[in-house]
Amino acid sequence: MSKLRFIISSFDNLTSRQLEAVFNLRQRVFIIEQQCLYEDIDGFDNDAEHLLAYEKDTLAGYLRIFKPGIKYKNAASLGRIVVDYPFRSTHIGKELITKGINITKEKYPDILLKIEAQAALTMYYQQFNFQPIGEVYLVDEIPHQLMTLKH
């Protein structure tokens, strides 16, 4: 198994090839695989930092990091967390999320961290100390759960 390579970048500094890989991965998983027609390009990409996880030359996983005030008034957040199908049930998802948490904690050390998780993955995110807040709700007809990171 090769070593995972991470790239963290603003939207403007992503290359055209990186952007194509990101949009392709998000489209294949969130729209095609999950059969959910929604606007993936939501106007927030420019406000995010983008964490790309490569296995050799293949984009294996990805997430967006938002500073406080973008998605939530008093919290930073992670979003569009995705691992490509061939890389699921490997270390990549855990490494990606851990790296995203660590980057966020480093940049915003005393700020709450939130995610809007698909409800089916609530238990998965609890291993990172995210805790459910409130009731399950629908986003684009998929059950979601707001979660916050315990410090």
Side-chain angles (χ1 to χ4, degrees):
M1 178 185 310
S2 67
K3 185 170 172 56
L4 202 57
R5 180 173 54 93
F6 289 102
I7 295 172
I8 181 79
S9 178
S10 69
F11 184 76
D12 289 337
N13 289 327
L14 290 169
T15 68
S16 57
R17 290 186 190 277
Q18 289 168 335
L19 278 173
E20 180 181 37
V22 165
F23 290 145
N24 183 279
L25 176 58
R26 288 176 11 187
Q27 173 184 274
R28 280 187 289 109
V29 173
F30 296 132
I31 297 172
I32 297 170
E33 179 184 323
Q34 295 182 355
Q35 299 180 350
C36 181
L37 295 178
Y38 80 108
E39 292 186 62
D40 177 57
I41 300 174
D42 59 1
F44 284 106
D45 284 309
N46 196 47
D47 295 323
E49 289 189 76
H50 302 266
L51 181 60
L52 292 74
Y54 283 90
E55 180 80 21
K56 296 185 180 177
D57 292 328
T58 301
L59 182 63
Y62 165 85
L63 61 76
R64 302 192 296 193
I65 299 171
F66 292 102
K67 66 183 180 183
I70 302 294
K71 289 289 202 165
Y72 303 100
K73 184 177 179 180
N74 296 315
S77 65
L78 303 179
R80 295 288 199 270
I81 302 168
V82 60
V83 173
D84 202 0
Y85 184 80
F87 301 100
R88 293 183 198 151
S89 301
T90 70
H91 61 95
I92 289 175
K94 289 181 181 180
E95 285 187 49
L96 175 69
I97 294 165
T98 299
K99 182 84 167 172
I101 290 168
N102 290 339
I103 290 169
T104 307
K105 282 183 172 181
E106 184 178 306
K107 288 181 176 265
Y108 316 108
D110 296 320
I111 298 293
L112 192 63
L113 179 58
K114 292 184 178 183
I115 61 172
E116 187 175 63
Q118 290 188 4
L121 296 172
T122 300
M123 288 181 58
Y124 178 78
Y125 288 113
Q126 285 177 321
Q127 72 183 300
F128 302 98
N129 291 323
F130 281 100
Q131 298 302 313
I133 301 295
E135 300 296 321
V136 173
Y137 53 94
L138 291 179
V139 175
D140 298 314
E141 303 303 315
I142 295 176
H144 279 71
Q145 174 70 60
L146 184 63
M147 301 183 81
T148 58
L149 185 65
K150 288 189 346 187
H151 293 284

